Every structure is written in structure tokens, then in C-alpha cells.
Amino acid sequence: MTDFTTATRLLAAEEEAPATKVRGYWQNVGYRLRYDYVTLAFALVIVLIVALAVFAPWIAPKDPYKTSMAFRLRPVGFRDFHLGTDELGRDILSRLIHGGRMSLLMGVVPVVFATLIGGFLGVLAGFIGGKLNMAIMRTMDVFYAFPSILLAVAISGAMGGGMANGMVALTLVFIPPLCRIAETATTQVRGLDFVEAARASGGSTGSIIATHILGNVLGPIFIYASGLVSVSILIASGLSFLGLGVEPPHPDWGLMLSTLRQSIYVNPIVCALPGVMIFVTSLAFNMVSDGLRQAMDVRL
Amino acid sequence: MSTTEALISRPPQLSSVPDGDLRDRGGPFQPMLIVSDLKKHFAIKGGMLNRTQGHVRAVDGVSFTVLKGETLGVVGESGCGKSTLARLLMHLIPYDGGEVLFDGEAIGGVRGLTMKEFRRAMQMVFQDSYSSLNPRLPVEESIAYGPRVHGMPAAKAKEIARELLTKVGLKPDLFAQRYPHELSGGQKQRVNIARALALEPRLLILDEAVSALDKSVEAQVLNLLRQLKRHFNLTYVFISHDLDVVQYISDRVLVMYLGEIVEIGPVDAIYDHPKHPYTRALLASRLSFDPAERVHEAPLTGDPPNPINPPSGCRFRTRCPMAESICAETSPRLEGAVAAEIHVAACHVQNPGSGHSLAGKAPVLVARSQPSPKVEAAPLAATA
Amino acid sequence: MWHYIARRIVYAIPIAIGVTVFCFALVFLAPGNPVQMLLPADASQEVVDLIMKTYGFDRPLPVQYWTWLTRAVVGDLGVSIQSNRPVIDEVLRALGNTVFLSFGAVMLAFSIAFVLGTLAAYYRGSAVDRGVTALSIVGVSIPNYWLGIVLVIVFAVELNWLPATGMGPRGSETFDLFNWSHFKHVILPIITLCMVPVGMITRTTRSAVSEVLGNEFVNTLRAKGLGELAVIRHALKNAMPQILAVMGLQFGYLMGGSILVETIFNWPGTGFLLNKAILTRDIPVLQGTILILALVFVFTNLVVDLFQTAVDPRIKRS
């Protein structure tokens, strides 16, 4: 082995430890995020909103379902109704806090399911290619032919409304774009040399996808999905606004906007409040998604 | 592996009887690879209904052998089919015709080697591009992937990976956990080599393995390749467009043009007395390092013809200085070169009785360019 | 190039067919029998059977689809359960109003976003850039129905400058663009509707223009001595195809997605029609509206795609 010890010694001498610390990919991402104050601020906002939703029963001052005919449409600061009351006398603040649960649920759950289903289909289509790819992508194209809101309204409207149907509709709406992102990313990665090397080593389809493809593809998919949550919240609230999502008497921001709208001349400020929540939540998810994209250095 | 350790001190000579390797199924004289009439045509789709309009004949009837323990260099211009040939040999893309026998056995099919066994026997080192290693995996795991896929437990595979890193000259403690973007070009290529060796192959195909490296690094890697070949008792197929590198590392050389083999023979014979006009032109177009010996005229003009519609008969005739009508009618045959010392070219001139006017009479042509007449240095103006 | 255009059109046909299949299938997504929607719950079995025969619900699905499709192609989309008028008439009338809104919104969005995006690209990395990027993200995150409500609160309820709803004092039939008392009904809806397009177009303009400005040839232009304004003009010319493409796509989105804004402003467009149809479970109108809107969207996408091919020399045409 004399040959090799010489070679190793020579090389070790010239190839010292690198100038910067050896850092993995995710540590790099974390490092970049640490100094991105805007993204961190909005991430905090999301945490707050989620916390409000989760701990709603303990945080909300009053019962969101308790009506009171005597105190309908009172303005902000009336007695202990800190943000006023709605058209049935219920405390707006409590309804806003509880409303977060429904709205977040309807916003996040469909995206999660759509990522699982759409991502799976997309990676499969991208990796196997050929006829399977064509079949899957052409089917997705048909759904792509509808603008998202229209599709969501159509499906949930046809199914008769309600929260469960709304979530199903939203999942179906988001599967095609996630599938497309997954397929594009997978096709790109599949053509790279190291995948060919993995095939040359005798790896099976499953093992190549798991070890080599997924790690490179999950980044773009995840970022796109996080951006979709913001859209999902908007559309979900829109469905509730139209009466197709959460049903009364449950509190939901979109639904509250719709019912309070009739009282716009009586108590305008109160009408706008639920929309503020929708806006802030959607904005927060958007900003965090954008920040993540920059940190992970992914170009969509 | 006592046999291989014994081989380190005594590298196998081509002309002497080599000792057997325990992994071989055939004997020491069985060629490692026998390629017969290999073809690959890529369909071109276009037009209204995406119909097949033609075929790119990337590899068109290629036959050669690779002997055990040798390094076979494969040279040719871009587009001659070298990389396609590499992928065909590795069975990464299916071929449209012909046959490949590894160590005397067919690959896949009912008898012969299974795909899994074949993958352990023949591996490829890719050109060092940014995408030759998975950017998300530490280098150690990229190397360990092959053994793991073949059933080795993760810990043992890691151990093998670290051992291989040492053998290619990278200290495992420093390099095992690094990511590809933290390595230089030469280091990445060493990792590529280690990855290829992880499955203990008998044959390595090196597809432009040093082309992307700086010259100094290239020299180191070439030396490493020679050492590894002795240590692991390997056979190499070294594909490159760089003639000097091929000359340095090869025992025999194979010249490709437009999907066909035009010449094959021992490296010295090819480089000193090339028989095919294309080889001659290729060698003559190397720029010399001596300013007194400049190349004035390009020996090879024009671009290679379209591989979709190659010229009839001999494909090189459109650029050949000795082309005659016989060249357009019949395609010259390359007699298969099995033995190590045989030097043949697919040219009518080399074949007495082919009908070429110069057949049988070796024309007087030189491998290197003629030295230009010496230019007298102008006398310096006298400075008073 | 004509090959490519023809091929692209041919590709759109299966998608259009898929769309029709989907619209047809919508009816069957609904809980219960389609017939139950047409009749009260206590109708006798004979009446149910009669209705089934009349409407053809008893025939196998592919046959029903084919009948529906053949009728749809000639324009017979059935009759509205609510108003007893032919669906196609209602939809086409509403379509015109929606086109008007969408077009106006996209034009307004373009004028704003174009300037903002170019400024952001030119002063890339500066405070202007960050401000514009923030604005575009805000534009995309705003729920446009909420914005509509807020605008109504501010301008109609509090200030009483602009009307809250409707399409003109006497309804949509007599709408006259150049009459201020009619036109002021248009202002709030268009502003509401243009928010999301502003966000998207700004983002696209910024990325397209900064990509062009980052090209080597811009340095060549400057080295030649070209003034900055002329350089910007050159950059814009190169970026225009992408920007126009996004505009076209946004127009398509607005056409299909205007339901929320139209509901708020009682604007009698397709969105409003759709909303009414859902509330009254007027299935023929629902189906017909969705079908036409989807086909308009497919058509818009096709036009945008062909336009990009024709204008961008980099796209391969075989």
C-alpha cells in the first residue's frame, strides 16, 4: 500500500480544511433566515394567529355563539364587548378568535392533502415519463382550464356547500398546480448525471426516488405549497362569504364578512374587521413563503 | 484479496499470461467485453402529428473487443457517438441492434449475467460536471449508495466509502461529510471515481473523466487512475476527445467517426503510423508546442456530415483527400481486432483488392505536421 | 410556425372536451338525484318518472352526455329554472358586463403595475424596489371582496361620493359609458378587481425587466453611448411579451373569478349570475355559466400562448 500513503499524504497537505465551516444545506438555510428580519416577523405573526386559534376557548372573553337581541350591532368598545357585536348580538372579538380555527383549518388542510396527492402524482409522472406522464398531466390540464375560484365555487356549489365539501373542493383545486411543480422539478432532476450514476449502480426506481430525487425536489414543492396556503385562505374565506363554506352559526371570517355586510350602514367598522384577519393571515403566509424561497435559493 | 495484493507488485503485462482474478467467469484470455454490431438510432419526431421523420444514427454497427487488464482509449470528435456508446455499454439506454458480451456471457436474458450482477461488474465514471454528484448528499453517502442498493447494511457501506476515499487520496475525516459544492473539481472527480469503485467492478468506463479539469489536476487524476487500475486489477475504457491524454493512458486506441469505428490498434502504432486518413488528420491537427513547428493549414476542413443522413459508402469520403468513386459505392469493412497487437483501419486504401487505386500501397503520409521553414530572425537595428 | 400553431390548437381540443365532461358531471356531484332539484320532495312517483323521461335522466350516462353536448354546441344550454329564459341568453348578456369589468381592471392594473415594476427593476435592490415588492405582495394577499367592502364603506357610506351597488341608475340595460352618473358605478368595482392583477403584473414586470437589464447587451448599449431612457425603452421592448402574456392570463382569471366582487357590487355579470344560480340551485344556469366561463379561459390561454410563440423568437417552432 506504499503507493497510496504517499498519494494521501501529498493530497492532505495541499487540501486543508476549507475556509468556511462545513455546513449542511439546511444549516445554510437556517443561517440565511436568521438575519431576515421581515420574514421572521411574519413568521411570528403566523405563530400568534395559530396560537390564538388553538387556545381560542381559553383566550376568547365570551361565548362566540351566545346571541343577545338586546345588544345587536353595538360599536367598538361597548361595555365589555371590546370589538362590538354582530347582527345577532354576539361578541365580535370572541368570534374573530374562534373564527381563526375554521379559517385556518379550511386554508391549511386542503393544501396539505393536495401536496401529498399532487406531489406524489407529479414525482411519479416526472420520473417514469412516457405514457403515464402524458396521462397524468393531460388530466391535470383539464382542471387547469378553470380559474381557481371558479373551480372551487363550481365543485362546492354542486356538492351543496358545507365545510367538508369546501375542503374537498379546495383540495381538488390545488392538486393540479402542485402536480405540475412536482413534475417539472422531477423531470429536471431526472436528467442530471448523478441520477444516471444511481441507475448505473443498480438502484431500483423507489430507491432512486427516495434517495436522490426527493431531496432535490421537496424544496420547490414545499415553497410553492406554502405560497398556496395564502391563496387557500383567501378562497376558503371567499367560499364562506358566498355561503358555500362554513355554515352559520359557526364563526368564520368569510362568513362573518358576509353576514355583517348587510349592516354596513349601521356599523361600518365592525364589518371590516373579519377581513383584516383574513388579510393579515394571508399576507403573513405570503411573506414567509417568499422569505423561505430566498433563503432556500430556489427559482420557481 | 491476496491475489490482487500480489498484483500490486507485479502489474500484468499484455504479452505475458496474466494471473486470473477470482471474480472472473471466463479465463484470462477471454476478452472482458465483446461488442458485435452495436446500433443505436434515435428517432426524430416532428411535423404535425409528431411522426418519426428520421433517425439520428448515433452508433451504427460498432464491433470491437476489450481485453482483460488493458486500457482501451476511444477518441473522436464531438457527435461521433462516443458518449452514446458509453451509455449503451453500460446498458443505461437500450440498443437497437447488436450484442454485448461481458466476460463471455450475455447480459440480462435467461442465461448469463443478471442485471444486478452486471451492475457490480461494470461501472462508469462521469465527466465532472456540477451535476455529477447529488448536491443534497454528503459525499460519503453518494459513494455508499451503490453498496447499499445491493444489500449491504448502512454501516458497512459507510466503512467501504471511507476506505475508498482514502484510496483515491482524500482523507475521510476531512472529506467524508462534505457536500459537493464544498469540493474542488479535482476532488469531485476523485469522489466520482470512488463511487464507481464502490461496487468492486471489473471494468470501468471513463467518459471524458478528466476533460473538465485543469491541466495540473488532470495529471494527478490520471496518475491516480493508473495506480487504481493496478491495485484493483481493473480494465478501462477511456473515452476522450483529448488525443494527448488518450496517448498517455491507453494501451490500445479506437477511433470513432460518425457512429462507426474507423481504426483500432496499439497506441504507439496508431500515433506513429496511423492508417486511416481521418486518424491522420486528427493527429495532424494537434497544435505542437514548438514554435518552430507551427501548423499552417488545418488538416481537416468543414464539419462532420449530418448523422441523420450519412454519406453513402465510406462516411469520411466527403473530407478525405484520397476519396475515389469506390469509396462512395462500398463501405470499407473493419476486420475485428481481437488480439492485442493487431492494427487495422476501415479504409479501402488499406485493403488490397478493394478497387481503390492506392490499395495495398501504403501512401507516404506523416503523422505530424511538416515543420515550417525556419524564419530568419531579423537582425536587430544596431543601437549606437 | 404554422405547424406549431395548428398543433397547439389541436391540443386545446381535448382539454375543451375534458372541460365539457367536467361541467356535465357537476350535476352528479350534487347530493341526491338531479330530479330532486327540479321537483318538490313530495312529488308522486309518476311525476318523477315523467320528469326523468322528459329530461332524459333515465338514459345511460354517455348518452346523456352526448345529448347535452350536441345541444350545447348549437347554443342550447337549457332553460333557467328560475327565470324560464334560455340559459344562453342570460349568460351572454352577463358575459358582456363581466368582460367590460375585467378588461377595465386589467387596463388599470397594467398602467399602474407597468410603471411600478419598471421602477423596481431599474432601481433594483433599493428602497423603491423593496417598497414595490411589498406592495405587490400586499396586492396578491388582499381578499378582494374585503377590499370592495372597505371601499364601499369609505366612499359610499362615509363620504357618499360613489354608489355602492349596481350598474347604472336604471340598471344594466341602459348603461352608457360616457355618462358620469353611469360611469361612477364602474369606478369602485374596477379598483377592487384590479388589486390582484396589479400585484401579479408588477411582479412579472419587475422580474422580466430586471432579467433583460441584467443581460450583457445592455452594457453594450450603454457603452455605445445610449442614454438611460433609451436603454429602458430597449429593455421594455424585450420584456413586453412576458408582460402582455401575464396581462392576458390575468384577464382570463378575472373573467372566471369575478364572482365575489360582482356579488358585493351587485354588478350583473357572469359571477353574479353564478351566485344567484347557486343560491337558487338553478342547475342549467350553473352548468351553462361554468361551461362558458371555462371555455373563455381556455381560449384566452390559447391566444396568450400563440401570441408568445409568435412574438418571442426564442421559443422553438418546428
Side-chain angles (χ1 to χ4, degrees):
Chain A
M1 294 283 280
T2 41
D3 274 347
F4 290 102
T5 43
T6 329
T8 320
R9 237 189 301 129
L10 281 172
L11 282 157
E14 57 192 58
E15 278 139 7
E16 303 278 324
T20 54
K21 222 168 27 124
V22 175
R23 239 191 259 119
Y25 175 72
W26 291 109
Q27 290 160 299
N28 247 329
V29 171
Y31 179 76
R32 264 180 270 189
L33 276 177
R34 204 168 355 127
Y35 293 102
D36 187 354
Y37 296 122
V38 174
T39 307
L40 289 178
F42 279 104
L44 195 64
V45 169
I46 294 182
V47 168
L48 277 175
I49 295 180
V50 170
L52 274 183
V54 168
F55 296 112
W58 296 280
I59 298 184
K62 289 177 171 295
D63 178 0
Y65 294 95
K66 180 162 174 293
T67 64
S68 158
M69 283 304 154
F71 297 128
R72 287 184 299 160
L73 293 172
R74 291 294 185 257
V76 172
F78 177 79
R79 300 218 196 152
D80 56 348
F81 298 101
H82 297 288
L83 286 176
T85 59
D86 69 357
E87 76 284 0
L88 288 180
R90 297 175 288 205
D91 178 29
I92 295 233
L93 180 60
S94 308
R95 280 181 73 78
L96 279 182
I97 295 177
H98 277 265
R101 306 181 125 193
M102 305 289 180
S103 303
L104 277 179
L105 213 64
M106 273 194 79
V108 170
V109 168
V111 173
V112 168
F113 277 107
T115 309
L116 289 174
I117 301 176
F120 171 72
L121 286 174
V123 168
L124 211 63
F127 190 74
I128 299 190
K131 296 264 170 64
L132 183 68
N133 183 324
M134 282 217 66
I136 293 183
M137 299 315 286
R138 292 303 140 245
T139 317
M140 295 299 162
D141 278 346
V142 169
F143 285 95
Y144 247 108
F146 296 85
S148 330
I149 294 195
L150 186 65
L151 191 60
V153 165
I155 297 180
S156 80
M159 286 174 83
M163 193 164 153
N165 289 336
M167 288 210 266
V168 168
L170 280 173
T171 310
L172 287 176
V173 166
F174 291 130
I175 287 182
L178 281 165
C179 181
R180 187 177 279 198
I181 285 269
E183 193 258 349
T184 312
T186 307
T187 309
Q188 270 180 357
V189 171
R190 187 181 66 142
L192 295 178
D193 275 348
F194 65 84
V195 174
E196 244 189 329
R199 273 176 56 219
S201 299
S204 65
T205 308
S207 122
I208 295 182
I209 291 185
T211 315
H212 290 282
I213 305 262
L214 277 186
N216 286 295
V217 147
L218 281 181
I221 295 180
F222 176 70
I223 290 184
Y224 192 77
S226 63
L228 271 188
V229 172
S230 128
V231 173
S232 178
I233 291 179
L234 288 179
I235 298 185
S237 312
L239 284 180
S240 302
F241 179 81
L242 292 171
L244 287 172
V246 179
E247 283 157 337
H250 295 295
D252 171 271
W253 296 333
L255 186 58
M256 286 167 74
L257 260 184
S258 164
T259 49
L260 286 171
R261 185 175 149 240
Q262 291 142 13
S263 329
I264 210 170
Y265 285 96
V266 178
N267 195 351
I269 306 246
V270 147
C271 295
L273 285 175
V276 172
M277 294 304 292
I278 304 175
F279 173 52
V280 166
T281 313
S282 171
L283 182 66
F285 273 102
N286 242 334
M287 295 296 285
V288 169
S289 160
D290 214 40
L292 270 179
R293 184 172 50 81
Q294 285 188 356
M296 288 169 76
D297 201 22
V298 169
R299 253 180 298 154
L300 277 173
Chain B
M1 296 212 301
S2 55
T3 339
T4 31
E5 274 176 342
L7 279 168
I8 297 173
S9 44
R10 199 167 39 88
Q13 302 295 316
L14 282 175
S15 44
S16 66
V17 179
D19 287 338
D21 186 295
L22 290 168
R23 292 169 291 175
D24 284 341
R25 291 154 91 112
F29 282 117
Q30 169 73 251
M32 188 66 97
L33 213 57
I34 304 177
V35 179
S36 321
D37 205 27
L38 200 60
K39 285 195 182 58
K40 178 68 185 174
H41 296 165
F42 291 104
I44 311 166
K45 306 212 170 164
M48 274 284 289
L49 298 170
N50 239 2
R51 267 169 306 175
T52 308
Q53 285 178 329
H55 290 272
V56 176
R57 292 140 87 120
V59 174
D60 213 8
V62 156
S63 309
F64 62 96
T65 54
V66 181
L67 303 170
K68 283 196 178 139
E70 74 167 347
T71 302
L72 177 70
V74 177
V75 289
E77 294 172 304
S78 315
C80 71
K82 319 191 288 285
S83 284
T84 314
L85 179 65
R87 279 158 180 76
L88 287 175
L89 293 177
M90 284 294 296
H91 285 66
L92 286 172
I93 51 181
Y95 35 88
D96 297 325
E99 184 183 41
V100 175
L101 293 177
F102 184 84
D103 209 2
E105 314 228 20
I107 300 151
V110 183
R111 289 171 296 148
L113 296 168
T114 62
M115 247 354 232
K116 261 215 141 87
E117 288 169 333
F118 174 67
R119 292 278 176 239
R120 297 208 63 147
M122 190 154 119
Q123 277 295 310
M124 186 156 143
V125 177
F126 293 80
Q127 183 173 9
D128 163 43
S129 55
Y130 76 98
S131 65
S132 54
L133 292 168
N134 189 339
R136 296 273 185 277
L137 288 182
V139 144
E140 179 182 58
E141 283 187 36
S142 283
I143 302 177
Y145 178 73
R148 270 198 316 135
V149 155
H150 283 266
M152 198 162 295
K156 184 109 200 309
K158 254 178 88 167
E159 209 185 286
I160 293 186
R162 294 177 77 95
E163 219 178 277
L164 281 168
L165 277 173
T166 322
K167 294 225 171 64
V168 298
L170 299 171
K171 263 203 189 152
D173 298 324
L174 277 181
F175 288 98
Q177 285 301 311
R178 282 204 202 180
Y179 287 87
H181 65 270
E182 289 162 331
L183 299 175
S184 71
Q187 292 165 341
K188 268 196 285 203
Q189 205 55 350
R190 289 170 192 268
V191 170
N192 272 328
I193 296 173
R195 173 177 60 188
L197 292 173
L199 288 169
E200 295 181 356
R202 301 283 295 119
L203 179 81
L204 268 192
I205 301 187
L206 298 119
D207 187 8
E208 306 276 7
V210 293
S211 308
L213 304 171
D214 296 330
K215 283 296 170 194
S216 53
V217 182
E218 181 186 89
Q220 290 175 0
V221 174
L222 284 174
N223 275 328
L224 175 68
L225 285 172
R226 287 177 85 135
Q227 289 170 346
L228 290 170
K229 181 176 166 208
R230 283 203 297 273
H231 179 73
F232 286 104
N233 194 16
L234 295 166
T235 307
Y236 283 166
V237 173
F238 192 91
I239 301 176
S240 179
H241 61 270
D242 188 335
L243 298 163
D244 296 322
V245 166
V246 169
Q247 183 179 24
Y248 176 72
I249 199 169
S250 312
D251 301 313
R252 283 197 311 149
V253 173
L254 179 160
V255 183
M256 278 190 77
Y257 182 74
L258 217 62
E260 288 180 335
I261 302 183
V262 295
E263 189 165 356
I264 186 168
V267 58
D268 295 326
I270 296 237
Y271 275 73
D272 290 335
H273 309 289
K275 287 188 178 173
H276 195 280
Y278 175 63
T279 320
R280 239 178 265 123
L282 215 53
L283 293 169
S285 56
R286 285 183 302 176
L287 298 173
S288 76
F289 285 97
D290 185 354
E293 263 197 39
R294 293 175 198 265
V295 178
H296 282 269
E297 256 178 55
L300 206 57
T301 49
D303 295 316
N306 194 341
I308 301 174
N309 223 350
S312 62
C314 172
R315 296 189 177 191
F316 186 62
R317 65 177 169 82
T318 52
R319 300 158 93 185
C320 182
M322 302 186 297
E324 291 180 5
S325 60
I326 183 71
C327 301
E329 291 162 26
T330 351
S331 216
R333 304 230 12 98
L334 184 78
E335 319 302 312
V338 181
E341 310 297 328
I342 290 194
H343 175 192
V344 285
C347 180
H348 286 305
V349 173
Q350 299 297 324
N351 187 6
S354 65
H356 198 282
S357 56
L358 291 171
K361 308 178 222 144
V364 180
L365 284 164
V366 202
R368 290 198 171 66
S369 58
Q370 294 280 12
S372 53
K374 278 215 173 356
V375 178
E376 293 284 344
L380 290 167
T383 48
Chain C
M1 183 175 86
W2 296 110
H3 271 178
Y4 181 81
I5 290 184
R7 192 145 41 116
R8 186 65 186 79
I9 294 181
V10 165
Y11 275 168
I13 293 181
I15 295 185
I17 294 184
V19 165
T20 58
V21 170
F22 178 79
C23 290
F24 172 73
L26 268 184
V27 176
F28 298 94
L29 274 180
N33 203 302
V35 184
Q36 289 171 348
M37 281 174 271
L38 300 169
L39 293 173
D42 57 350
S44 68
Q45 188 58 34
E46 313 161 336
V47 180
V48 170
D49 288 339
L50 181 65
I51 295 289
M52 283 193 78
K53 266 195 101 156
T54 326
Y55 281 93
F57 285 134
D58 55 342
R59 272 178 272 156
L61 276 181
V63 175
Q64 287 192 42
Y65 170 67
W66 185 248
T67 342
W68 178 82
L69 186 66
T70 41
R71 279 202 221 127
V73 164
V74 294
D76 175 14
L77 286 167
V79 169
S80 159
I81 298 179
Q82 190 66 15
S83 66
N84 254 326
R85 279 197 293 236
V87 169
I88 189 83
D89 287 345
E90 304 232 329
V91 175
L92 284 181
R93 198 156 36 102
L95 197 66
N97 298 336
T98 306
V99 167
F100 178 69
L101 261 195
S102 308
F103 190 71
V106 169
M107 281 299 133
L108 179 63
F110 174 70
S111 359
I112 302 175
F114 183 65
V115 172
L116 287 180
T118 313
L119 279 176
Y122 190 69
Y123 293 109
R124 187 174 196 172
S126 71
V128 169
D129 182 15
R130 282 200 301 267
V132 168
T133 312
L135 203 69
S136 70
I137 295 188
V138 164
V140 173
S141 314
I142 276 193
N144 53 11
Y145 42 99
W146 175 67
L147 183 66
I149 294 181
V150 168
L151 286 178
V152 164
I153 291 179
V154 170
F155 288 100
V157 176
E158 298 294 325
L159 298 173
N160 214 353
W161 286 352
L162 296 168
T165 60
M167 191 176 167
R170 281 194 298 275
S172 59
E173 314 282 331
T174 57
F175 185 75
D176 174 17
L177 182 58
F178 298 103
N179 184 339
W180 171 248
S181 68
H182 290 223
F183 183 74
K184 62 182 180 177
H185 286 261
V186 164
I187 298 181
L188 286 182
I190 285 193
I191 294 182
T192 311
L193 211 49
C194 85
M195 268 299 140
V196 170
V198 162
M200 291 300 290
I201 301 179
T202 307
R203 198 189 274 189
T204 311
T205 308
R206 178 184 173 278
S207 87
V209 173
S210 68
E211 189 193 315
V212 170
L213 283 178
N215 278 338
E216 291 284 325
F217 80 87
V218 169
N219 285 335
T220 316
L221 289 179
R222 287 200 179 116
K224 272 204 301 183
L226 212 54
E228 281 306 295
L229 212 58
V231 171
I232 296 183
R233 254 212 334 255
H234 268 275
L236 286 176
K237 218 167 33 150
N238 279 47
M240 271 322 256
Q242 265 177 289
I243 302 177
L244 288 175
V246 154
M247 273 176 64
L249 289 176
Q250 286 299 310
F251 176 73
Y253 264 113
L254 289 183
M255 286 295 298
S258 62
I259 176 173
L260 293 159
V261 170
E262 286 183 7
T263 304
I264 293 188
F265 290 100
N266 274 3
W267 186 267
T270 44
F272 191 67
L273 192 64
L274 198 57
N275 193 11
K276 227 173 27 163
I278 292 178
L279 288 175
T280 57
R281 313 259 341 133
D282 192 343
I283 298 293
V285 175
L286 188 69
Q287 259 187 337
T289 316
I290 293 177
L291 180 67
I292 294 193
L293 285 179
L295 289 178
V296 164
F297 190 60
V298 169
F299 180 70
T300 314
N301 280 359
L302 182 66
V303 167
V304 165
D305 207 3
L306 291 177
F307 167 75
Q308 269 200 306
T309 317
V311 160
D312 189 348
R314 286 176 297 177
I315 296 184
K316 185 173 71 138
R317 306 169 232 167
S318 54

